[in-house]
């Protein structure tokens, strides 16, 4: 019997599977997920969470394809599906999820939608809520439309998938091939249109590339889809049904929701004529058309399609990066999520399959949102006593930036969202600079217990010294003080080191430090100690107003030409008599100048000759 520990065997198995799945790796990399990244959970927990994620995605699929309602953005859906596949590989499973329209039975005329195994009711389960060692949440309910019947068709020519690549991959692809062309990757829903003698006889959704939903009745209603071609020819056209937008700039509005709108219309029973007018058609290929690209484009133009207007040959002047940047920033009538680079020549239609071909690649735009897993939750107390929850994330990349932490802004938001380690959140860049959490995409099934600080414990006059629970606020006070007093080279890292070493345990504790005492702190040598002492001495020469600001005085003191004793003698009513000071601020100022800790610090500053005290 093999005595190898099961966990180690599973780790080896996972790595082996990951190394074999090259195509899957490329897909995952496009969303910032590496194939050797597995959640740090026991297999039992990973199995539970994988099933929960599969159920969540099944709910999105059913809503999207059954009800025409997108419950999550396209970007987040794609990343969640990639994450599900990754977790399944971590468990040594073969990823099986496909959108609802892709898991239909293959009967030639009708099929019943099939839930993924993870979404099927378990007849042996006695409760809809799974019980674990920590608090649990119930799985999402699946809509009744899950059992409806959908008609399917085989594609007359397989719809090929596309391998996603990056700038380096594009460079490799383009340097090895000639006669390359580029198109915008229109963000809609793919369709195959089959014409015989010029008449539309079939419209099939992409499905799994080999079969898809029968969209013929709806396609015949769409003004953008010709029911009859100008010439009585046989033709198989592949393209994208998109939501018409007015001067849409992808760089400014990455999340348009256009794809979900089209899917909703295709699933709706009786959309209005006005709604049907909003759907456009971009034909991106003609599998059985002319083999020469220029001839093919001219023929499509003659049939009434505008493919040629958005299809350009690559050359030294206008390469793939040029067109990608141009279409990303230019006003277009549709949403895009990248570009497609393709050879003019390709194999005959009989050799096409749903697998990514060798003659075309997609170079997608950076995602506007990233799906990030919460690694931990920290409740940080700021200088004024405000409690701010910080989410520590397994790092994700957005616009070339590596993001590992975001703030939730307030304790109320944390309570509303109930974010715990393991949860998945949508992260985006606010104003293209500041990372922020936009929403909780789904909660982990197991809920870790968290106890946030009591907000009433912290305020403008708490934590001037290092008492229990005061490390964060005192650190924030010291950092602010150093900045206001212009202590060069003394930042948060220095103050943290001094606090952790016990060299400083109150707001003005640094005043008593000696060179020898500083050198006892890890990382501080003789030269650094002298530099710190010099910064401390220089700070004593700051003005009285600057010192009050550094100590955290509430706004409205206007301490110029006054001293501590004069301000301390003012009552709340006398403060309110000053311009710009109301009742709340008046009470705060009176409390500040009468606080015992601040009174003690004023005496200490007077003793070392600081002006105004």
């Amino acid at each position: 019997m093999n005595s190898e520990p099961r966990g180690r065997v599973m780790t080896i198995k996972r790595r082996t599977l990951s190394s074999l799945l090259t195509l899957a790796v490329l897909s995952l990399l496009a969303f910032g997920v590496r194939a050797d990244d597995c959640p740090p959970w026991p297999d039992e927990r990973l199995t539970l969470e994988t099933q929960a994620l599969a159920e969540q995605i099944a709910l999105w699929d059913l809503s999207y394809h059954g009800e025409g309602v997108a419950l999550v953005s396209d970007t987040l859906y794609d990343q969640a599906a990639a994450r599900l596949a990754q977790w399944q590989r971590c468990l040594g499973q073969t990823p099986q999820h496909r959108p609802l329209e892709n898991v239909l039975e293959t009967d030639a005329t009708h099929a019943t939608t099939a839930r993924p195994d993870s979404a099927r009711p378990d007849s042996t389960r006695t409760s809809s809520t799974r019980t674990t060692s920590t608090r649990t949440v119930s799985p999402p309910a699946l809509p009744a439309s899950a059992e409806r019947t959908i008609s399917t068709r085989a594609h007359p020519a397989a719809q090929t998938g596309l391998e996603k690549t990056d700038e380096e991959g594009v460079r490799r692809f383009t340097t090895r091939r000639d006669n390359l062309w580029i198109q915008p990757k229109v963000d809609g829903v793919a369709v195959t249109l089959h014409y015989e003698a010029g008449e539309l006889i079939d419209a099939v959704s992409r499905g799994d590339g080999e079969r898809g939903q029968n969209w013929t009745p709806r396609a015949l209603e769409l003004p953008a889809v010709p029911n009859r071609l100008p010439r009585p020819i046989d033709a198989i056209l592949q393209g994208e049904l998109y939501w018409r937008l007015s001067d849409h700039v992808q760089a400014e509005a990455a999340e348009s929701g256009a794809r979900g709108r089209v899917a909703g219309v295709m699933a709706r029973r009786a959309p209005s004529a006005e709604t049907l007018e909003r759907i456009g058609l971009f034909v991106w290929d003609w599998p059985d058309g002319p083999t020469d690209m220029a001839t093919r484009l001219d023929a499509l133009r003659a049939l009434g399609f505008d493919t040629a207007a958005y299809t350009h040959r690559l050359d030294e002047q206008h390469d793939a990066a040029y067109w990608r940047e141009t279409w990303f920033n230019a006003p277009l009538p549709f949403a895009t999520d990248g570009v497609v680079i393709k050879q003019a020549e390709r194999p005959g239609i009989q050799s096409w399959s749903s697998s990514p071909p060798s003659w075309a690649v997609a170079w997608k735009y950076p995602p506007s949102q990233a799906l990030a897993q919460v690694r931990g939750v920290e409740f940080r107390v700021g200088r004024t006593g405000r409690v701010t929850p910080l989410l520590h994330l397994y790092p994700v990349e957005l616009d070339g930036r590596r993001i590992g932490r975001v703030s939730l802004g307030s304790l109320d938001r944390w309570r509303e969202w109930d974010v715990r380690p393991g949860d998945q959140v949508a992260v985006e860049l606010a104003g293209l600079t500041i990372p922020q959490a936009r929403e909780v995409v789904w909660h982990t099934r197991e809920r870790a217990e968290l106890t946030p600080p009591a907000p009433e414990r912290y305020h403008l006059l708490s934590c001037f010294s290092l008492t229990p629970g005061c490390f964060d606020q005192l650190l924030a006070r010291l950092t602010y003080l150093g900045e206001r007093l212009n202590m060069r080279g003394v930042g948060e890292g220095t103050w943290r080191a001094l606090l952790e070493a016990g060299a400083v345990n109150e707001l003005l504790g640094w005043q008593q430090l000696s060179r020898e005492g500083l050198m006892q702190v890890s990382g501080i040598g003789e030269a650094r100690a002298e530099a710190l002492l010099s910064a401390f001495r220089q700070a004593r020469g700051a003005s009285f107003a600057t010192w009050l600001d550094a100590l955290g005085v509430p706004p409205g003191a206007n301490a110029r030409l006054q001293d501590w004793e004069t301000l301390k003698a003012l009552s709340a009513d006398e403060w309110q008599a000053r311009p710009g000071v109301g009742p709340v601020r008046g009470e705060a100022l009176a409390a500040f100048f009468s606080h015992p800790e601040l009174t003690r610090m004023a005496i200490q500053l007077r003793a070392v000759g600081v002006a105004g005290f």
Side-chain angles (χ1 to χ4, degrees):
M1 182 176 178
N2 191 345
S3 60
E4 187 80 35
R6 181 174 180 270
R8 182 177 174 187
V9 171
M10 281 301 300
T11 300
I12 295 172
K13 186 176 181 181
R14 293 171 189 169
R15 292 176 180 170
T16 302
L17 284 168
S18 298
S19 65
L20 292 174
L21 296 167
T22 306
L23 180 59
V25 172
L26 290 173
S27 174
L28 290 170
L29 285 174
F31 301 112
V33 182
R34 296 200 316 270
D36 59 351
D37 283 339
C38 296
W41 298 326
D43 287 344
E44 181 180 355
R45 168 81 186 279
L46 180 56
T47 300
L48 180 70
E49 302 300 347
T50 300
Q51 185 170 357
L53 175 53
E55 291 175 355
Q56 179 65 72
I57 293 177
L59 174 64
W60 293 338
D61 287 340
L62 291 166
S63 176
Y64 184 89
H65 297 285
E67 309 296 336
V69 177
L71 300 178
V72 68
S73 73
D74 298 339
T75 298
L76 295 177
Y77 177 88
D78 293 341
Q79 295 180 42
R83 186 152 299 170
L84 174 61
Q86 173 61 14
W87 287 3
Q88 288 170 334
R89 291 187 185 95
C90 290
L91 289 168
Q93 301 172 358
T94 300
Q96 296 180 341
H97 167 264
R98 291 172 292 172
L100 179 65
E101 65 172 11
N102 298 357
V103 294
L104 303 172
E105 302 291 343
T106 57
D107 181 75
T109 55
H110 291 87
T112 301
T113 58
R115 299 178 184 175
D117 288 343
S118 58
R120 292 174 182 162
D122 184 351
S123 60
T124 62
R125 189 178 301 159
T126 57
S127 171
S128 62
T129 302
R130 290 184 174 85
T131 303
T132 63
S133 57
T134 57
R135 192 163 62 88
T136 62
V137 294
S138 300
L142 298 176
S145 63
E147 302 302 336
R148 70 187 184 90
T149 298
I150 298 177
S151 174
T152 64
R153 291 284 193 277
H155 285 278
Q159 280 213 5
T160 61
L162 285 173
E163 181 179 311
K164 314 308 190 289
T165 191
D166 55 14
E167 185 173 7
E168 179 58 33
V170 169
R171 189 176 296 112
R172 289 194 302 268
F173 184 85
T174 56
T175 55
R176 298 171 183 174
R177 293 167 174 82
D178 296 319
N179 198 9
L180 293 173
W181 297 69
I182 192 168
Q183 294 172 330
K185 190 174 183 295
V186 179
D187 193 13
V189 295
V191 64
T192 296
L193 303 174
H194 189 191
Y195 290 88
E196 285 188 357
E199 299 285 342
L200 179 63
I201 63 167
D202 249 343
V204 185
S205 72
R206 186 187 190 282
D208 61 5
E210 303 290 343
R211 296 186 65 87
Q213 289 187 43
N214 176 19
W215 276 354
T216 310
R218 180 51 41 83
L220 290 169
E221 298 176 337
L222 297 175
V225 177
N227 291 357
R228 176 180 298 171
L229 298 176
R231 292 190 291 127
I233 63 172
D234 295 343
I236 298 170
L237 303 179
Q238 294 180 343
E240 206 81 6
L241 296 172
Y242 62 85
W243 190 257
R244 297 183 191 273
L245 301 171
S246 178
D247 294 333
H248 173 78
V249 178
Q250 192 68 26
E252 298 174 358
E255 288 299 328
S256 65
R259 191 200 310 173
R261 294 178 189 177
V262 176
V265 173
M266 300 307 289
R268 203 172 303 164
R269 287 188 177 181
S272 66
E274 182 182 2
T275 299
L276 294 172
E277 285 279 1
R278 293 298 303 272
I279 294 182
L281 170 67
F282 177 73
V283 175
W284 35 256
D285 217 331
W286 186 353
D288 59 346
T291 57
D292 176 70
M293 176 67 83
T295 304
R296 192 156 66 244
L297 293 175
D298 287 341
L300 284 170
R301 185 187 293 112
L303 293 175
F305 301 109
D306 61 353
T307 309
Y310 300 101
T311 307
H312 301 282
R313 185 166 184 168
L314 298 182
D315 54 34
E316 292 183 0
Q317 184 178 3
H318 294 151
D319 61 5
Y322 167 85
W323 287 111
R324 182 175 184 262
E325 186 71 14
T326 297
W327 284 324
F328 189 55
N329 293 285
L332 295 172
F334 40 64
T336 61
D337 60 357
V339 294
V340 177
I341 306 159
K342 57 177 66 176
Q343 293 176 198
E345 303 294 331
R346 66 274 173 95
I349 189 174
Q350 297 303 322
S351 64
W352 286 34
S353 73
S354 57
S355 301
S358 61
W359 67 83
V361 293
W363 186 11
K364 301 193 72 172
Y365 296 133
S368 60
Q369 295 179 326
L371 188 66
Q373 181 173 322
V374 178
R375 183 165 51 89
V377 181
E378 175 188 2
F379 299 96
R380 182 166 293 185
V381 183
R383 178 182 64 88
T384 63
R386 180 185 177 90
V387 179
T388 303
L390 295 177
L391 303 184
H392 293 271
L393 311 171
Y394 290 98
V396 294
E397 286 198 9
L398 272 179
D399 198 25
R401 294 181 54 184
R402 186 176 173 86
I403 298 171
R405 187 179 71 182
V406 293
S407 169
L408 283 189
S410 70
L411 199 57
D412 286 342
R413 173 170 288 184
W414 175 80
R415 286 171 173 154
E416 177 187 354
W417 287 10
D418 189 27
V419 186
R420 310 292 173 114
D423 289 348
Q424 309 283 330
V425 296
V427 178
E428 63 183 13
L429 293 179
L432 301 180
T433 55
I434 303 171
Q436 67 176 18
R438 179 180 177 85
E439 62 179 315
V440 180
V441 181
W442 82 89
H443 288 105
T444 183
R445 190 60 58 84
E446 290 190 5
R447 313 298 289 156
E449 293 296 335
L450 296 178
T451 305
E456 62 273 11
R457 164 71 173 81
Y458 302 97
H459 46 79
L460 195 63
L461 298 175
S462 61
C463 294
F464 288 107
S465 58
L466 194 58
T467 53
C470 277
F471 185 96
D472 283 351
Q473 189 175 6
L474 180 57
L475 174 60
R477 287 192 183 280
L478 285 164
T479 302
Y480 181 82
L481 178 140
E483 292 171 352
R484 295 303 179 186
L485 296 180
N486 196 26
M487 294 184 183
R488 296 189 178 183
V490 187
E492 181 180 332
T494 300
W495 293 119
R496 182 180 294 276
L498 294 174
L499 284 172
E500 290 176 345
V504 171
N505 55 23
E506 59 183 18
L507 188 58
L508 297 183
W510 48 273
Q511 297 249 28
Q512 288 76 45
L513 286 172
S514 63
R515 182 167 66 91
E516 291 73 18
L518 284 168
M519 292 175 61
Q520 296 299 312
V521 178
S522 176
I524 297 180
E526 185 173 353
R528 177 64 175 151
E530 288 295 342
L532 289 174
L533 289 174
S534 175
F536 295 160
R537 286 192 295 268
Q538 184 178 357
R540 295 191 184 107
S543 68
F544 179 55
T546 300
W547 263 102
L548 284 185
D549 185 19
L551 293 174
V553 67
N558 192 19
R560 288 176 296 178
L561 306 179
Q562 299 185 66
D563 57 47
W564 178 270
E565 292 302 324
T566 299
L567 298 174
K568 182 180 178 181
L570 296 176
S571 66
D573 290 339
E574 290 171 318
W575 277 113
Q576 292 176 41
R578 294 192 166 203
V581 179
V584 174
R585 188 168 293 176
E587 292 287 348
L589 286 164
F592 178 86
F593 284 100
S594 63
H595 193 274
E597 287 282 333
L598 286 158
T599 299
R600 181 179 60 80
M601 284 188 275
I603 295 172
Q604 185 178 345
L605 291 170
R606 185 184 310 136
V608 295
V610 176
F613 289 92

